[in-house]
Amino acid sequence: MTFTIFNGSPRYKKSNSQTLTEQFLKGYHNQGKTEPVKICYLARASQLAEHLEAFRQAEEVIIIFPLYTDCMPGMVKEFLELLPAAGNKNPKKLGFIVQSGFPEAIHSVYVERYLEKYARRRHYHYLGTVIKGGVESIRSMPPSMNKKLFKQFRELGDNFARTGQLPRELMQQMRTPLKMNAVGRTVFRVISLLGLPDMYWKKMLKKHGAYHLRSSRPYAP
Ligand SMILES: Cc1cc2nc3c(=O)[nH]c(=O)nc-3n(C[C@H](O)[C@H](O)[C@H](O)COP(=O)(O)O)c2cc1C
């Protein structure tokens, strides 16, 4: 089976999608799978034709991307729109991993509906969508804090190598909390009043010289 992973993060190899893919592949190769897995980076827009060809040749495909404004980065949408529909004979296996900054999985449930419908309408063999929230924090956490998450991704890869499927039970565990409970919401309200959740993103804007653009409305009439 030719297995190809498409990374849909604009951050290319410095992305959380890359970190999670590496963990997935550790688990995958644990199962004695020696054939190399091709990884295509959609951020390399100039290689779009190669990416489309890699998709055509693959028998198993996983597309991993970050949730962007409750949906997907534009490059992922463009890629999906360019993919051909599968033939009826031996349809390609297609699965998705959507990972996001907010801890609540519910934010990704809407794009999941799209992905499922997309796969069905294009006659792919839909493997399901893994949803994982709270992922941006892995960049600032000490490795010990990421142990559980990385183990889950290794288990996904291990399972995929053994069965060719994404394990439902583990996927269900991973998409928690679906919504924060009352205590979580109260704590979040308090830290929001203190401006703590914004601090990280403001730091990023400053780092990239875009702080002065934070209230821009490029599509406003
Ligand atoms: C432009 C932009 C929009 C985002 N929109 C959301 C969002 O709607 N919901 C969410 O939970 N996280 C959102 N995030 C956070 C990313 O999903 C999160 O940081 C993810 O782990 C980034 O993965 P990557 O490093 O692979 O790109 C957004 C981040 C950016 C930069």
Side-chain angles (χ1 to χ4, degrees):
M1 284 270 177
T2 317
F3 173 35
T4 302
I5 296 179
F6 292 85
N7 177 328
S9 169
R11 283 172 169 165
Y12 185 46
K13 290 188 183 176
K14 287 189 178 163
S15 58
N16 299 333
S17 302
Q18 172 74 7
T19 306
L20 299 178
T21 299
E22 284 166 10
Q23 294 300 322
F24 181 99
L25 289 178
K26 267 191 191 169
Y28 183 84
H29 290 301
N30 252 350
Q31 286 302 321
K33 291 263 187 188
T34 47
E35 48 298 9
V37 176
K38 194 174 171 66
I39 306 180
C40 295
Y41 297 91
L42 300 184
R44 288 291 166 262
S46 59
Q47 295 169 5
L48 183 58
E50 287 162 47
H51 296 156
L52 291 169
E53 180 55 22
F55 182 88
R56 201 187 60 76
Q57 285 183 15
E59 291 155 282
E60 296 175 324
V61 169
I62 288 190
I63 303 179
I64 178 167
F65 63 86
L67 193 71
Y68 262 31
T69 43
D70 297 323
C71 199
M72 64 186 85
M75 64 180 75
V76 177
K77 184 81 168 87
E78 180 187 25
F79 184 64
L80 292 180
E81 284 178 8
L82 290 171
L83 295 180
N88 282 338
K89 263 200 266 162
N90 224 357
K92 209 182 285 298
K93 287 183 174 179
L94 177 61
F96 299 90
I97 300 175
V98 183
Q99 51 87 12
S100 67
F102 295 137
E104 297 172 307
I106 196 161
H107 296 275
S108 300
V109 163
Y110 303 94
V111 73
E112 177 190 32
R113 288 186 197 160
Y114 165 87
L115 296 170
E116 185 175 355
K117 200 181 278 184
Y118 171 88
R120 191 163 19 90
R121 285 189 179 164
R122 300 230 168 180
H123 310 293
Y124 295 120
H125 175 128
Y126 178 58
L127 292 170
T129 298
V130 174
I131 292 179
K132 189 66 210 164
V135 171
E136 183 62 14
S137 59
I138 66 173
R139 304 173 88 81
S140 40
M141 292 288 181
S144 59
M145 299 286 281
N146 294 328
K147 261 189 187 164
K148 183 177 168 204
L149 175 69
F150 289 179
K151 184 165 175 273
Q152 287 174 330
F153 271 83
R154 287 198 300 277
E155 270 178 51
L156 282 178
D158 177 297
N159 213 286
F160 187 63
R162 277 188 289 111
T163 65
Q165 302 295 326
L166 293 170
R168 301 287 134 178
E169 205 177 310
L170 176 59
M171 285 159 79
Q172 210 51 46
Q173 282 169 24
M174 289 174 77
R175 55 175 66 197
T176 53
L178 185 66
K179 279 182 174 183
M180 277 185 198
N181 60 23
V183 177
R185 284 200 301 275
T186 308
V187 172
F188 196 76
R189 266 189 212 120
V190 173
I191 63 169
S192 296
L193 286 174
L194 299 172
L196 294 179
D198 293 342
M199 268 169 66
Y200 173 82
W201 293 108
K202 283 184 179 166
K203 200 172 130 198
M204 287 285 149
L205 285 168
K206 285 179 187 159
K207 185 176 161 193
H208 296 286
Y211 189 71
H212 63 291
L213 299 173
R214 66 192 179 285
S215 301
S216 296
R217 300 168 66 201
Y219 297 108

